Amino acid sequence: MARILLIETSTSVLSVALAVDGTVVAERICREPRMQASLTAPLVKEVLDEAGLKAPDCDAVAVSSGPGSYTGLRVGVSTAKGLAFGAGKPLIAVGTLDILVDGCEVEPGMTVVPMIDARRMEVYTAVYNAEGERLTEIEAHIIGPDSFAPYLEKGKVLFVGDGALKGKDVITHPNACFQEAFPLARHMATRAQKAFEEGKFENLAYFEPFYLKDFIPTIPKKLLV
C-alpha cells in the first residue's frame, strides 16, 4: 500500500490531497488567491488528520513542479521538501501541465494544449495527445491568431487551464475548444503513483521548481518615502 501526500500550489488555487494506491482518500482546496504561504501547511495537517495519519506514515510526498507562479511554486516545493526530509520519505515531482491534462475529459483523437497564465497574452504551454503524452517541449508562448494552427487543421484541440480563455477571442478556428481549469492535487495521484512504483524520486538537497522563466520583480506604483 502506497500512501502519497499530494501538494499543488502552482496557480491561484491551492490544493492538498492524500492518495492511497492512486486513489484520493482526503482532499482540501482553497480557491482564495495568494494563500499558499499561510495555508499550505495547515491544509496538509487537515488532510493527514482526516486520514488519521502523521507525515511519517506516508510513503512519499509529491509536489507540483511547475511551471507556474514563482511564489506559489517556491512555497509548495519548500513545504514538500521539508515534510519529506523530516519524515525520511522520498520526494516526487509532477509537472503542472501534466496535472492539467490529467484533470480534463478528452475525446479520442483530440489534441490537448494546457495553458498556465503568465503575463499579458503569454502562457506556459505544451502540446499533448489524447492519451496524456506530451508531444512538444514546454515553452512560454504568446497567443496569436495562428497559434497551434497545424494542430487545429488536423482536428479538435482543447485549450485548458487558467490561461486558456486568453485565446478565446484570438484563436477563432472552428476546431478550437476552450476550458478554464486549475491544476488540482487530486489529479496528481496517477502520475505520482507511477513514479513511486518506478522509483523516480527527486534529490531532496538539489531539487528546484521548474520556473521556465526567471522571476522579474515589479516596482510598486506608490513608493513609500
Side-chain angles (χ1 to χ4, degrees):
M1 179 183 294
R3 300 185 182 99
I4 304 178
L5 182 65
L6 312 168
I7 299 173
E8 213 303 314
T9 60
S10 65
T11 66
S12 60
V13 175
L14 160 65
S15 58
V16 177
L18 178 70
V20 178
D21 291 338
T23 299
V24 173
V25 297
E27 179 184 35
R28 293 292 186 277
I29 299 174
C30 174
R31 298 186 182 276
E32 186 176 346
R34 296 182 293 278
M35 297 301 290
Q36 288 92 339
S38 60
L39 278 187
T40 301
L43 293 189
V44 166
K45 185 178 185 306
E46 286 186 18
V47 165
L48 292 175
D49 286 348
E50 180 180 329
L53 301 174
K54 302 291 185 183
D57 298 321
C58 296
D59 296 290
V61 180
V63 66
S64 176
S65 60
S69 159
Y70 182 89
T71 301
L73 288 171
R74 284 189 64 184
V75 171
V77 169
S78 296
T79 302
K81 289 173 71 172
L83 287 165
F85 180 79
K89 303 299 179 179
L91 178 70
I92 295 169
V94 182
T96 307
L97 295 177
D98 294 341
I99 300 169
L100 272 173
V101 171
D102 288 353
C104 63
E105 295 184 5
V106 183
E107 298 175 11
M110 179 179 275
T111 299
V112 185
V113 180
M115 292 180 165
I116 296 173
D117 192 11
R119 298 180 183 88
R120 299 183 177 87
M121 290 302 291
E122 190 174 41
V123 293
Y124 301 135
T125 188
V127 177
Y128 290 71
N129 62 22
E131 289 71 44
E133 300 168 329
R134 183 161 56 85
L135 306 177
T136 66
E137 294 297 318
I138 298 172
E139 64 171 346
H141 179 85
I142 298 175
I143 300 173
D146 298 324
S147 293
F148 306 99
Y151 299 97
L152 288 163
E153 291 299 326
K154 293 178 182 178
K156 286 188 177 181
V157 177
L158 174 62
F159 298 97
V160 60
D162 65 345
L165 297 189
K166 285 184 175 183
K168 196 168 186 179
D169 294 329
V170 180
I171 303 173
T172 58
H173 196 284
N175 281 334
C177 308
F178 300 89
Q179 178 184 332
E180 185 178 31
F182 296 88
L184 298 176
R186 71 165 79 114
H187 298 139
M188 299 170 61
T190 299
R191 292 186 194 253
Q193 178 68 24
K194 185 172 187 291
F196 181 82
E197 293 172 354
E198 296 176 353
K200 293 183 177 179
F201 305 131
E202 303 299 328
N203 186 306
L204 275 175
Y206 298 106
F207 177 72
E208 293 291 336
F210 176 43
Y211 295 117
L212 187 59
K213 295 177 68 176
D214 293 333
F215 175 64
I216 302 175
T218 57
I219 301 173
K221 293 180 179 179
K222 294 183 179 180
L223 297 177
L224 296 177
V225 180

Short mmCIF file of all heavy atoms in Angstrom, two decimals, residues 55-77:
data_model
loop_
_atom_site.label_atom_id
_atom_site.label_comp_id
_atom_site.label_asym_id
_atom_site.label_seq_id
_atom_site.Cartn_x
_atom_site.Cartn_y
_atom_site.Cartn_z
N ALA A 55 2.88 12.63 9.04
CA ALA A 55 3.74 12.64 7.86
C ALA A 55 4.59 11.37 7.73
O ALA A 55 4.72 10.83 6.62
CB ALA A 55 4.62 13.89 7.87
N PRO A 56 5.18 10.85 8.82
CA PRO A 56 5.99 9.64 8.69
C PRO A 56 5.20 8.40 8.26
O PRO A 56 5.79 7.41 7.82
CB PRO A 56 6.57 9.45 10.10
CG PRO A 56 6.57 10.81 10.70
CD PRO A 56 5.33 11.46 10.17
N ASP A 57 3.86 8.46 8.37
CA ASP A 57 3.03 7.34 7.95
C ASP A 57 2.87 7.28 6.43
O ASP A 57 2.44 6.26 5.89
CB ASP A 57 1.64 7.41 8.59
CG ASP A 57 1.70 7.32 10.10
OD1 ASP A 57 2.51 6.53 10.61
OD2 ASP A 57 0.93 8.05 10.77
N CYS A 58 3.19 8.38 5.75
CA CYS A 58 3.12 8.41 4.30
C CYS A 58 4.36 7.73 3.71
O CYS A 58 5.40 7.63 4.35
CB CYS A 58 3.03 9.85 3.79
SG CYS A 58 1.53 10.72 4.31
N ASP A 59 4.22 7.28 2.47
CA ASP A 59 5.34 6.61 1.81
C ASP A 59 6.12 7.56 0.91
O ASP A 59 7.25 7.27 0.53
CB ASP A 59 4.83 5.43 0.99
CG ASP A 59 4.20 4.37 1.87
OD1 ASP A 59 4.95 3.70 2.61
OD2 ASP A 59 2.96 4.23 1.85
N ALA A 60 5.52 8.68 0.56
CA ALA A 60 6.20 9.67 -0.28
C ALA A 60 5.42 10.98 -0.24
O ALA A 60 4.24 11.01 0.14
CB ALA A 60 6.31 9.18 -1.72
N VAL A 61 6.08 12.05 -0.65
CA VAL A 61 5.45 13.36 -0.80
C VAL A 61 5.62 13.78 -2.25
O VAL A 61 6.73 13.74 -2.79
CB VAL A 61 6.10 14.42 0.12
CG1 VAL A 61 5.42 15.77 -0.07
CG2 VAL A 61 6.02 13.98 1.58
N ALA A 62 4.51 14.16 -2.90
CA ALA A 62 4.55 14.59 -4.29
C ALA A 62 4.17 16.06 -4.37
O ALA A 62 3.27 16.52 -3.66
CB ALA A 62 3.60 13.76 -5.15
N VAL A 63 4.84 16.79 -5.25
CA VAL A 63 4.58 18.23 -5.38
C VAL A 63 4.52 18.61 -6.84
O VAL A 63 5.21 18.03 -7.69
CB VAL A 63 5.67 19.05 -4.65
CG1 VAL A 63 7.03 18.89 -5.32
CG2 VAL A 63 5.28 20.52 -4.56
N SER A 64 3.66 19.57 -7.15
CA SER A 64 3.61 20.14 -8.49
C SER A 64 4.88 20.93 -8.73
O SER A 64 5.23 21.81 -7.96
CB SER A 64 2.38 21.05 -8.62
OG SER A 64 2.35 21.70 -9.87
N SER A 65 5.58 20.61 -9.81
CA SER A 65 6.93 21.14 -10.01
C SER A 65 7.02 22.33 -10.95
O SER A 65 8.09 22.89 -11.14
CB SER A 65 7.85 20.03 -10.53
OG SER A 65 7.37 19.52 -11.76
N GLY A 66 5.90 22.75 -11.56
CA GLY A 66 5.92 23.89 -12.45
C GLY A 66 5.80 23.47 -13.90
O GLY A 66 5.74 22.28 -14.21
N PRO A 67 5.72 24.50 -14.77
CA PRO A 67 5.81 25.94 -14.50
C PRO A 67 4.55 26.48 -13.85
O PRO A 67 3.54 25.80 -13.78
CB PRO A 67 6.03 26.54 -15.89
CG PRO A 67 5.33 25.58 -16.81
CD PRO A 67 5.55 24.23 -16.22
N GLY A 68 4.65 27.74 -13.40
CA GLY A 68 3.52 28.38 -12.76
C GLY A 68 3.97 29.60 -11.99
O GLY A 68 5.00 30.21 -12.32
N SER A 69 3.23 29.95 -10.97
CA SER A 69 3.54 31.10 -10.12
C SER A 69 4.87 30.90 -9.41
O SER A 69 5.07 29.87 -8.75
CB SER A 69 2.42 31.30 -9.10
OG SER A 69 2.86 32.06 -7.99
N TYR A 70 5.74 31.88 -9.52
CA TYR A 70 7.06 31.77 -8.88
C TYR A 70 6.92 31.58 -7.37
O TYR A 70 7.49 30.66 -6.78
CB TYR A 70 7.87 33.04 -9.18
CG TYR A 70 9.26 33.04 -8.61
CD1 TYR A 70 10.33 32.50 -9.34
CD2 TYR A 70 9.54 33.58 -7.35
CE1 TYR A 70 11.62 32.49 -8.82
CE2 TYR A 70 10.82 33.58 -6.82
CZ TYR A 70 11.86 33.04 -7.57
OH TYR A 70 13.13 33.03 -7.04
N THR A 71 6.12 32.44 -6.74
CA THR A 71 5.94 32.36 -5.29
C THR A 71 5.23 31.07 -4.89
O THR A 71 5.63 30.39 -3.94
CB THR A 71 5.15 33.57 -4.78
OG1 THR A 71 5.85 34.77 -5.12
CG2 THR A 71 4.96 33.51 -3.27
N GLY A 72 4.17 30.73 -5.62
CA GLY A 72 3.43 29.52 -5.31
C GLY A 72 4.30 28.28 -5.39
O GLY A 72 4.26 27.41 -4.50
N LEU A 73 5.09 28.18 -6.44
CA LEU A 73 5.97 27.02 -6.59
C LEU A 73 7.00 26.95 -5.47
O LEU A 73 7.30 25.86 -4.96
CB LEU A 73 6.67 27.07 -7.95
CG LEU A 73 5.80 26.79 -9.17
CD1 LEU A 73 6.56 27.09 -10.46
CD2 LEU A 73 5.32 25.34 -9.18
N ARG A 74 7.54 28.08 -5.10
CA ARG A 74 8.54 28.09 -4.03
C ARG A 74 7.94 27.58 -2.72
O ARG A 74 8.55 26.79 -2.00
CB ARG A 74 9.10 29.50 -3.82
CG ARG A 74 10.08 29.95 -4.88
CD ARG A 74 10.75 31.25 -4.49
NE ARG A 74 11.57 31.09 -3.28
CZ ARG A 74 12.19 32.10 -2.68
NH1 ARG A 74 12.07 33.32 -3.17
NH2 ARG A 74 12.92 31.90 -1.62
N VAL A 75 6.73 28.04 -2.42
CA VAL A 75 6.07 27.61 -1.18
C VAL A 75 5.80 26.12 -1.21
O VAL A 75 6.08 25.38 -0.26
CB VAL A 75 4.76 28.39 -0.96
CG1 VAL A 75 3.97 27.79 0.21
CG2 VAL A 75 5.05 29.86 -0.69
N GLY A 76 5.22 25.64 -2.32
CA GLY A 76 4.88 24.23 -2.42
C GLY A 76 6.08 23.32 -2.33
O GLY A 76 6.06 22.32 -1.60
N VAL A 77 7.12 23.65 -3.07
CA VAL A 77 8.31 22.80 -3.08
C VAL A 77 9.02 22.85 -1.73
O VAL A 77 9.48 21.82 -1.22
CB VAL A 77 9.25 23.21 -4.23
CG1 VAL A 77 10.61 22.53 -4.10
CG2 VAL A 77 8.62 22.85 -5.57
#
